Amino acid sequence: PADPFSPQEHGLDFQRLLDASTYKETFRQDMIRWGEEKRRADPGFFCRTVVAGVAQPVWVVSDTRRLSDVEWFRDVYGDAVQTVRVVAAEETRKRRNWVFVAGVDDAESECGLDQGVTFDWVITNDGDELALDEQLETLLRSLRGRL
């Protein structure tokens, strides 16, 4: 809570900041700015925060945004790391009510992994449930085989 933009310090509803609401959009640029300041001072800050004091046989870290995050996990956990990118066509995203916002959707916080990362898996989620299930089942089989 001592951080300059922690939700608690600013009286924000943390759960509402996790959804795609207007509430989140009101504070989004401030959150991005705060996160960038933290990462400049310490690129592993958020990654270490997530794993601090917890030991699990399998971790699923969703919504990683930066190359430095992927590099941190690879440096710490090595070959155990499997990277998965979920993609959807722009038309699909628009049908799901996504609207491009300049200065936000083209910022590193949204597209920092669009280049420079070779993903182990790329999952396409364009609304075809059968195709999605097949891709996820293949991924799960592979991951189970690594345990």
Side-chain angles (χ1 to χ4, degrees), residues 25 28-30 32-33 100-111:
E25 294 305 316
R28 192 172 182 191
Q29 288 192 335
D30 289 332
I32 290 169
R33 190 172 19 263
F100 179 83
V101 176
V104 173
D105 291 312
D106 52 0
E108 185 181 8
S109 65
E110 298 301 316
C111 53

Side-chain angles (χ1 to χ4, degrees), residues 5-143:
F5 197 80
S6 69
Q8 301 91 336
E9 185 175 299
H10 291 273
L12 302 177
D13 182 334
F14 181 73
Q15 290 304 313
R16 290 186 68 197
L17 293 173
L18 299 176
D19 64 25
S21 67
T22 304
Y23 181 86
K24 174 184 174 180
E25 294 305 316
T26 302
F27 302 104
R28 192 172 182 191
Q29 288 192 335
D30 289 332
M31 290 188 303
I32 290 169
R33 190 172 19 263
W34 174 77
E36 295 302 325
E37 290 169 7
K38 285 295 201 190
R39 280 184 181 83
R40 272 193 295 280
D42 177 4
F45 173 79
F46 292 105
C47 298
R48 275 194 314 285
T49 300
V50 168
V51 302
V54 182
Q56 298 293 332
V58 175
W59 283 84
V60 176
V61 181
S62 64
D63 210 17
T64 304
R65 302 290 182 108
R66 308 286 189 304
L67 180 57
S68 62
D69 296 339
V70 173
E71 290 171 341
W72 186 89
F73 278 100
R74 285 181 172 159
D75 288 346
V76 172
Y77 296 104
D79 291 336
V81 172
Q82 291 285 289
T83 55
V84 180
R85 181 176 180 104
V86 179
V87 298
E90 189 169 329
E91 285 306 311
T92 301
R93 297 173 72 200
K94 287 179 181 177
R95 280 195 312 273
R96 294 174 178 156
N97 297 320
W98 172 77
V99 176
F100 179 83
V101 176
V104 173
D105 291 312
D106 52 0
E108 185 181 8
S109 65
E110 298 301 316
C111 53
L113 295 176
D114 288 353
Q115 298 176 10
V117 177
T118 301
F119 289 91
D120 299 301
W121 299 88
V122 177
I123 304 294
T124 301
N125 183 10
D126 275 326
D128 181 338
E129 289 184 39
L130 183 59
L132 178 61
D133 286 345
E134 289 173 1
Q135 294 171 84
L136 293 175
E137 187 55 41
T138 301
L139 171 61
L140 289 172
R141 273 195 308 272
S142 175
L143 296 176

